[in-house]
Amino acid sequence: MQRPIMPSVAQVKALPLLLKKVIPASYEDMNGHMNIQHYLGLYDEAGLPFFESFGITADYFAVERQGIFDLEHHLRYLAEVHVGDYVAIHSRLLARTPKRLHGMWFIVNETRQELSNTFEFISSHADLKARRTSPFSDDLAQKFDVQIANYTNLEWEAPICGVMHA
């Protein structure tokens, strides 16, 4: 399989911003860069503002008893991140089905002005009472569709891994 072409830093920065953070010393591993576990941790932190932007808030989980289950992830490491680097996470929603979302998030190392990592994911809407996947409400589906449409005609293809589909 041919490696996908990565977007430029400028192209990624045009996407919605989810999180900015300076990498603390506690994230460093024995190789002198950010440990693998913290990439997923940063993406987990970015999940809250991402889902909140669509109305999936703490109340949605607690009151509505609806939520989101992660089903699959693909992380691609492109450039090292070091302690003290300032990073930003940007998002691009790619597709959806009645129950699932397919998207990508990107870590831009603002200190070094390079794309450091990509995170492709499949997540599913869930009925938290039944503990089963369930369809998105019409309101949520419409919000997702608007964002998908906004980024469908970009001048660059999302660098997907090729094995994940919503």
Side-chain angles (χ1 to χ4, degrees), residues 78-116:
L78 304 167
E80 292 180 303
V81 174
H82 296 275
V83 169
D85 285 351
Y86 185 63
V87 298
I89 298 178
H90 296 267
S91 70
R92 181 175 178 181
L93 200 51
L94 303 173
R96 75 163 185 89
T97 68
K99 295 181 181 182
R100 291 186 175 79
L101 293 176
H102 182 197
M104 287 199 79
W105 295 348
F106 304 85
I107 293 179
V108 171
N109 187 324
E110 297 277 348
T111 302
R112 300 171 195 282
Q113 287 303 300
E114 59 189 3
L115 183 59
S116 295

Side-chain angles (χ1 to χ4, degrees), residues 142-159:
Q142 182 179 11
K143 289 175 184 177
F144 293 139
D145 289 344
V146 166
Q147 190 171 107
I148 291 165
N150 285 341
Y151 299 105
T152 298
N153 295 319
L154 293 177
E155 61 188 44
W156 55 280
E157 293 290 322

Side-chain angles (χ1 to χ4, degrees), residues 12 19-20 22 27 31 50 55 101 109 133 138 142 145 151:
V12 171
L19 179 74
K20 287 188 173 193
V22 175
Y27 284 21
N31 292 313
F50 175 77
L101 293 176
N109 187 324
T133 62
D138 290 343
Q142 182 179 11
D145 289 344
Y151 299 105

